[in-house]
Amino acid sequence: MKQIRIIATFVACLYITQQTQAQGCVAIRSNGSSCSRLLPGQDKGWVFSFNNRYFRSYKHFVGTEEHKERVENGTEVINYSFSWDLTLTRQFNKYWSLSIGVPLISNVRSSMYEHYGNGSNSPNARNSTKSFGLGDIRLTAYRWLFDPAKAHKGNIQVGLGLKLATGDYEVQDFFRKNDSTTLVGPVDQSIQLGDGGTGIITEFNGYYNFSHRSGVYANVYYLINPREQNGVSTSRGGSVSATAIKYFTHTMSVPDQFMLRAGYSYMANAFSFS
């Protein structure tokens, strides 16, 4: 019976989950895998969920226009990101739950322009910077709007919480400017472990079941970061340019983040496919 409940918990967490595969110049950071969907007949208890996310980004865009020549010329920046999201949820009753999400993150960024420069012909021009450690912890309260014991076809869940500034947003590494010069400076914002801001989390999660095996779901996540900049230099150990100062890009920003996810889910025995 215990094994069945563990499997059922795992399936439930797969069915409604808040994770994303988005990427960009500053990729949306881990928003956890909080799962507060109750098991049938369960009003209280603990749920532990674990998921990981991996992506490799290498394409360059300005707005919607892709700069394909960066890949063709071999000057593209390549980010490798792997994160583990550990989430513990306390279910107080069939309506209310509280989740804490702890992300562990490992990032590697490979580039030429941050080191020798894109115009360099040196075989040593491409180098990597790295970051590893704890990310920004999330603490979120959730409530189902309709009675889960009666709303078998569908339900809506709202969440409100805090994103804490626990991730290091000043990670530094070595930037190799030529064969004899190496500078130490903050790594690019896209691979920093945190953003340096305490944010307000808002979430809306919903699902609708066509049958006991299939249904659709949607997740909406918005992170409000009141802080605008965290004061960390973007010069990567070098001198701040006049252009960066003019356009206020000489220090890293603390951005708001938005994620929308929707899909179809199908359950087969102890597995859920979405």
Side-chain angles (χ1 to χ4, degrees):
M1 179 61 69
K2 183 178 180 181
Q3 291 179 337
I4 294 176
R5 292 176 69 85
I6 291 175
I7 292 174
T9 301
F10 177 71
V11 171
C13 286
L14 286 178
Y15 192 79
I16 292 186
T17 180
Q18 291 88 311
Q19 70 172 23
T20 180
Q21 304 294 335
Q23 54 186 323
C25 182
V26 180
I28 184 168
R29 289 182 170 82
S30 179
N31 4 332
S33 60
S34 173
C35 173
S36 53
R37 185 179 185 184
L38 299 175
L39 299 180
Q42 182 178 347
D43 290 341
K44 297 180 181 180
W46 294 89
V47 174
F48 173 78
S49 61
F50 164 81
N51 78 72
N52 63 73
R53 179 182 73 159
Y54 167 80
F55 70 75
R56 170 181 175 268
S57 63
Y58 63 94
K59 296 183 178 181
H60 290 256
F61 288 85
V62 175
T64 58
E65 180 184 354
E66 181 181 357
H67 288 198
K68 298 182 180 180
E69 69 277 4
R70 294 293 298 274
V71 176
E72 296 171 356
N73 297 332
T75 61
E76 76 277 18
V77 177
I78 308 172
N79 276 10
Y80 303 90
S81 179
F82 194 94
S83 63
W84 299 267
D85 290 304
L86 311 175
T87 304
L88 183 64
T89 301
R90 170 60 173 172
Q91 301 172 352
F92 298 106
N93 52 49
K94 59 185 178 181
Y95 286 104
W96 288 95
S97 61
L98 181 68
S99 292
I100 180 170
V102 180
L104 299 175
I105 304 170
S106 177
N107 297 318
V108 177
R109 179 179 173 88
S110 170
S111 71
M112 292 177 62
Y113 87 95
E114 294 174 313
H115 301 278
Y116 284 55
N118 284 344
S120 174
N121 295 321
S122 171
N124 303 319
R126 180 172 289 275
N127 286 273
S128 298
T129 50
K130 303 176 182 179
S131 62
F132 175 81
L134 177 69
D136 288 343
I137 293 176
R138 304 189 330 152
L139 185 64
T140 312
Y142 296 95
R143 189 187 192 281
W144 289 106
L145 297 185
F146 306 104
D147 188 345
K150 299 178 180 179
H152 301 296
K153 296 291 291 184
N155 209 336
I156 297 174
Q157 183 189 60
V158 295
L160 182 65
L162 290 176
K163 182 204 63 75
L164 307 177
T166 54
D168 189 353
Y169 58 95
E170 299 178 287
V171 177
Q172 296 190 350
D173 206 344
F174 296 99
F175 294 88
R176 295 166 176 81
K177 299 304 181 179
N178 52 54
D179 291 342
S180 60
T181 304
T182 300
L183 302 177
V184 177
V187 299
D188 187 80
Q189 186 171 8
S190 63
I191 64 168
Q192 290 287 348
L193 301 175
D195 59 23
T198 299
I200 301 171
I201 297 169
T202 58
E203 291 187 48
F204 293 89
N205 308 304
Y207 69 93
Y208 182 83
N209 293 326
F210 301 116
S211 67
H212 70 285
R213 290 186 178 274
S214 66
V216 292
Y217 60 89
N219 316 124
V220 180
Y221 171 93
Y222 196 96
L223 170 64
I224 305 167
N225 264 321
R227 189 177 185 183
E228 294 185 357
Q229 294 180 317
N230 59 27
V232 179
S233 174
T234 60
S235 63
R236 300 169 177 82
S239 301
V240 178
S241 68
T243 302
I245 296 175
K246 178 181 179 180
Y247 293 104
F248 303 100
T249 60
H250 59 292
T251 59
M252 296 183 185
S253 62
V254 186
D256 287 4
Q257 295 188 12
F258 171 78
M259 185 272 291
L260 172 63
R261 180 172 182 258
Y264 172 82
S265 180
Y266 181 80
M267 300 185 69
N269 298 324
F271 296 93
S272 176
F273 303 90
S274 61

